[in-house]
Amino acid sequence: MDSIKVKDFMEQRAVRFTPEMSLTAALDKVMTSQHLGGPVVNENGEVIGFLSEQDLLDKLVKVSYYCQDTHIVSDCMHQDVLTVSPEMGIIELAELMKVGKPKVYPVVDDKKLVGIITRRDVLRAIGQSLDDCFQHPV
C-alpha cells in the first residue's frame, strides 16, 4: 500500500479555471463536470488558486439578485492552495485528508497542474488495496 502513489489514482482531466473567467462561465464548467470545483491556473499552467462550488454559491447569489455578471474567478478564488506531488503516497495523502482538509487537491509537477485527486480517488485506492489483500492473504 505504501507504494501506491497519487499519480496512480489522480484524474488527469481536471476542471480548471482562469483568473479572468466570468463566474457564469465558471458555473457552466462546474455544472458540466462531476467536480466540486477546481484549480485556477495562469497562462503557464501554474496553480494560482482554487474555486469551489461554495465560492461560486456565495458570489452568484448576489449576481443573480442584481442580474449583473460583474465578478470574475479571481474575485472569489482561494489563493492559498494546498497541492500535492504525483509521487506522494496515497497513505500520506489519506492522513492529510482525515483532518478536515480540502476534499480536492491539485496535483502539481514542476509547478504545472497535471491533475487533481479527491477523497473519492483515495478511497478507491484504499478499496483496491483491500480487495488485493483479501484475494491474496499474506
Side-chain angles (χ1 to χ4, degrees):
M1 182 78 181
D2 289 334
S3 63
I4 299 175
K5 305 285 185 202
V6 165
K7 67 182 177 186
D8 299 324
F9 286 88
M10 70 181 194
E11 298 177 43
Q12 293 179 355
R13 295 183 191 208
V15 62
R16 58 180 72 198
F17 308 98
T18 61
E20 62 281 342
M21 180 181 288
S22 73
L23 290 188
T24 53
L27 174 63
D28 287 343
K29 281 189 131 190
V30 168
M31 297 307 293
T32 57
S33 78
Q34 296 181 355
H35 300 275
L36 303 174
V40 181
V41 295
N42 65 17
E43 60 278 352
N44 298 321
E46 299 168 336
V47 176
I48 60 167
F50 195 91
L51 183 70
S52 70
E53 285 179 332
Q54 185 175 352
D55 300 327
L56 283 169
L57 185 61
D58 179 48
K59 290 287 186 196
L60 287 174
V61 165
K62 295 171 187 146
V63 165
S64 67
Y65 182 78
Y66 294 107
C67 261
Q68 295 178 332
D69 190 10
T70 57
H71 294 288
I72 58 175
V73 167
S74 63
D75 292 335
C76 64
M77 70 181 190
H78 291 287
Q79 293 181 7
D80 297 328
V81 183
L82 296 174
T83 63
V84 296
S85 160
E87 296 300 322
M88 177 183 252
I90 285 290
I91 295 299
E92 184 181 354
L93 180 55
E95 289 295 325
L96 276 177
M97 289 180 156
K98 287 189 332 186
V99 192
K101 298 286 185 188
K103 297 173 182 131
V104 180
Y105 286 81
V107 182
V108 175
D109 189 23
D110 195 29
K111 298 185 182 180
K112 305 268 194 252
L113 179 68
V114 294
I116 61 168
I117 190 154
T118 66
R119 285 184 181 167
R120 183 168 297 258
D121 298 324
V122 172
L123 286 170
R124 188 167 40 94
I126 293 169
Q128 248 181 24
S129 179
L130 287 172
D131 286 348
D132 290 346
C133 286
F134 294 130
Q135 289 176 5
H136 304 97
V138 181

